[in-house]
């Protein structure tokens, strides 16, 4: 099986099996697909029933057909026999001392992945995963040490949002007054290597009759899958964040190996062409601060030069590095981070320092991984070589 999309395929070794009980899960299906499934099951007046079920699933958060009171009583048992309204299995749920929540989730085929909710005074952000594992091997990122198992399905992507709403007690769904206000596709995996599922899942999240979250409150983060960026802007239309993390080829090749395939200039050209980018919808550049690696004054000035060169409406998120077992990097000193931020701010570009959240439960940026594991530098090198070889094979 290959990741959907004609461009930049990555081999995925495992497909998703059917449910053990033989039922079809309706979460993640489009409205038309729900209607088609109902028709195939012999449900009378399937178009109306599909509309009613959609409302109960996404506006009321109902998981039991028996609770769908506007559907005839004799129809509900048939629905329960043929269909399911699923949620990911929760293996563990942790709460940080700062209020951040992390869930370890398990799929129907026994694979683990994670999601994180970060509460703030004026917003609540859910960090959603798109893949189980990752192909990219970014050296500072714990998730990048995992092998890619498979893509998450649209239902598994939407299911994370549904589960968070369950946990936060936010049913019925109302656009105003809820805790979960924002979504970032910044969990496990590279969203643009699972383009079709991410597009379909976020389509349901943004649907006015679905979870009704504005596209302006959703951010998709990519490490730089350049060929898919224009499609993301045109077909999904959410905010873009780019994991830049370095401003020279040498350093970015090391810490974000996809740079060997799509270099900094190619990446920034794609950012400049991203549909919908403007001063009101700036592109966010994520920049993890690594001591003596990418944090010099010269690095900050080069970052400013690049943003100006490509005339990018940009914001730079400076991320203090979050350590994990076996990593070979350290976080920049507070003074160095402050100096780096000041240089960028003085150039007229916003460069806030992100407050680390959820470090004590390994929920901070770059720490997501379904099991703690110490990995040697040699093993990291071997896995990186494997992944780069797979890119070359796919491109051949």
């Amino acid at each position: 099986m290959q990741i959907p999309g004609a461009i930049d395929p990555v081999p995925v070794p495992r497909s998703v099996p059917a449910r053990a009980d033989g039922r079809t899960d309706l979460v993640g299906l489009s409205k038309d697909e729900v209607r088609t499934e109902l028709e195939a099951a012999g449900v009378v007046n399937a178009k109306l029933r599909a509309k009613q079920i959609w409302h109960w699933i996404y506006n009321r958060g109902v998981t039991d057909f028996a609770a769908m009171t506007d559907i005839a009583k004799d129809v509900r048992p048939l629905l329960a026999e043929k269909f399911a309204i699923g949620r990911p299995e929760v293996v563990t749920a942790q709460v940080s001392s700062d209020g951040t929540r992390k869930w370890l989730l398990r799929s129907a085929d026994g694979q683990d992945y994670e999601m994180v909710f970060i509460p703030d005074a004026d917003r609540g952000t859910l960090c959603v995963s798109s893949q189980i594992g990752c192909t990219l091997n970014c050296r500072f990122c714990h998730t990048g040490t995992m092998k890619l198992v498979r893509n998450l399905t649209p239902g598994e992507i939407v299911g994370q949002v549904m589960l968070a709403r369950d946990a936060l007690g936010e049913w019925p769904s109302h656009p105003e007054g809820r805790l979960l206000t924002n979504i970032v596709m910044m969990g496990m995996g590279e969203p643009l290597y699972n383009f079709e599922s991410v597009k379909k899942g976020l389509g349901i999240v943004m649907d006015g009759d679905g979870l009704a979250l504005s596209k302006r409150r959703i951010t998709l983060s990519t490490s730089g899958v350049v060929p898919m960026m224009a499609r993301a802007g045109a077909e999904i239309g959410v905010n873009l964040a780019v994991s830049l993390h370095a401003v020279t080829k040498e350093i970015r090749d090391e810490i974000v190996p996809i740079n060997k395939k799509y270099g900094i200039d190619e990446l920034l050209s794609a950012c400049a062409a991203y549909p919908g980018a403007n001063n009101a919808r700036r592109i966010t550049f994520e920049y993890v601060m690594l001591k003596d690696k990418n944090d010099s004054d010269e690095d900050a000035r080069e970052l400013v030069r690049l943003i100006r060169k490509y005339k990018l409406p940009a914001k730079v998120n400076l991320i203090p590095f979050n350590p994990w077992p076996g990593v070979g990097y350290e976080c920049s000193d507070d003074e160095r981070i402050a100096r780096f931020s000041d240089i960028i701010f003085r150039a007229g570009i916003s460069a806030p320092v992100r407050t680390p959240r959820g470090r004590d439960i390994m929920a901070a940026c770059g720490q997501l991984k379904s099991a703690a594991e110490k990995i040697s530098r040699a093993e990291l090198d071997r896995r990186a070589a494997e992944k780069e070889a797979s890119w070359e094979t796919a491109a051949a």
Side-chain angles (χ1 to χ4, degrees):
M1 174 184 175
Q2 287 188 329
I3 288 179
I7 301 172
D8 223 9
V10 177
V12 183
R14 184 178 291 119
S15 59
V16 185
R19 286 178 58 99
D21 60 13
R23 295 187 296 167
T24 298
D25 197 328
L26 297 181
V27 175
L29 299 186
S30 69
K31 294 175 183 174
D32 287 342
E33 287 171 335
V34 172
R35 186 186 73 241
T36 299
E37 291 288 346
L38 295 181
E39 288 172 346
V43 175
V44 178
N45 202 356
K47 185 176 180 179
L48 172 62
R49 296 299 180 222
K51 183 177 180 181
Q52 292 171 317
I53 291 169
W54 184 276
H55 174 82
W56 283 106
I57 291 174
Y58 295 113
N59 283 266
R60 310 291 293 187
V62 165
T63 58
D64 184 351
F65 291 104
M68 298 183 180
T69 52
D70 59 352
I71 294 177
K73 285 186 177 181
D74 60 340
V75 175
R76 296 179 219 167
L78 172 63
L79 294 175
E81 177 187 349
K82 299 288 187 180
F83 303 108
I85 304 168
R87 293 288 192 272
E89 176 190 349
V90 177
V91 180
T92 60
Q94 297 173 275
V95 181
S96 167
S97 58
D98 62 24
T100 298
R101 302 188 187 195
K102 183 174 81 168
W103 292 266
L104 175 61
L105 308 176
R106 183 160 294 157
S107 64
D109 58 338
Q111 302 299 326
D112 293 349
Y113 55 104
E114 294 174 326
M115 72 173 187
V116 172
F117 177 71
I118 305 168
D120 281 303
D122 60 343
R123 69 176 61 191
T125 302
L126 186 68
C127 185
V128 174
S129 292
S130 58
Q131 295 180 308
I132 299 172
C134 188
T135 64
L136 293 177
N137 205 54
C138 298
R139 288 304 183 85
F140 57 87
C141 179
H142 203 199
T143 312
T145 66
M146 298 177 67
K147 290 187 175 182
L148 178 66
V149 177
R150 66 168 173 83
N151 289 325
L152 291 176
T153 66
E156 289 167 333
I157 291 169
V158 176
Q160 293 173 68
V161 186
M162 309 284 279
L163 183 62
R165 285 270 180 87
D166 292 347
L168 296 169
E170 297 204 323
W171 302 109
S173 174
H174 295 296
E176 302 299 329
R178 59 191 179 195
L179 296 174
L180 199 170
T181 62
N182 293 67
I183 289 174
V184 291
M185 296 300 303
M186 294 183 186
M188 296 170 66
E190 165 56 65
L192 296 187
Y193 276 155
N194 188 16
F195 183 83
E196 296 298 341
S197 290
V198 169
K199 174 184 172 181
K200 187 175 180 182
L202 289 182
I204 293 171
V205 171
M206 295 184 288
D207 191 308
D209 295 325
L211 293 173
L213 197 65
S214 167
K215 66 182 180 181
R216 294 182 179 274
R217 291 187 172 272
I218 301 174
T219 299
L220 184 150
S221 177
T222 179
S223 291
V225 185
V226 168
M228 303 303 292
M229 288 169 61
R231 281 191 65 191
E235 298 178 29
I236 304 176
V238 296
N239 300 315
L240 180 69
V242 174
S243 296
L244 186 61
H245 304 308
V247 292
T248 66
K249 173 176 170 52
E250 177 188 7
I251 300 302
R252 195 164 193 267
D253 279 357
E254 174 190 338
I255 64 177
V256 188
I258 197 175
N259 194 67
K260 298 174 185 177
K261 190 171 187 182
Y262 306 115
I264 292 173
D265 288 322
E266 191 176 358
L267 173 58
L268 296 183
S269 293
C271 290
Y274 187 75
N278 56 50
N279 286 330
R281 296 187 66 196
R282 295 173 294 177
I283 292 172
T284 299
F285 289 101
E286 307 286 352
Y287 199 98
V288 66
M289 300 300 296
L290 302 173
K291 186 175 183 178
D292 300 327
K293 181 63 65 174
N294 64 352
D295 61 351
S296 68
D297 287 1
E298 291 74 19
D299 290 320
R301 295 188 186 104
E302 176 63 7
L303 180 53
V304 169
R305 188 192 72 80
L306 288 169
I307 289 172
R308 286 176 170 170
K309 175 183 176 182
Y310 288 93
K311 300 178 181 178
L312 296 170
K315 170 186 175 182
V316 180
N317 263 351
L318 300 179
I319 306 167
F321 173 61
N322 296 304
W324 43 270
V327 71
Y329 300 108
E330 297 179 36
C331 183
S332 305
D333 299 334
D334 290 347
E335 295 78 8
R336 176 96 300 268
I337 296 174
R339 169 68 178 167
F340 196 98
S341 174
D342 185 60
I343 290 171
I344 300 171
F345 265 119
R346 287 178 180 274
I349 301 166
S350 178
V353 179
R354 183 186 295 175
T355 303
R357 301 292 298 274
R359 275 181 167 175
D360 55 330
I361 57 171
M362 291 290 285
C365 181
Q367 289 185 314
L368 294 192
K369 191 172 187 293
S370 57
E373 178 184 5
K374 290 189 177 181
I375 299 175
S376 69
R377 187 75 181 196
E379 174 65 8
L380 284 172
D381 289 341
R382 188 190 67 77
R383 291 189 183 182
E386 266 186 11
K387 290 174 180 179
E388 289 168 25
S390 72
W391 295 341
E392 292 169 6
T393 301

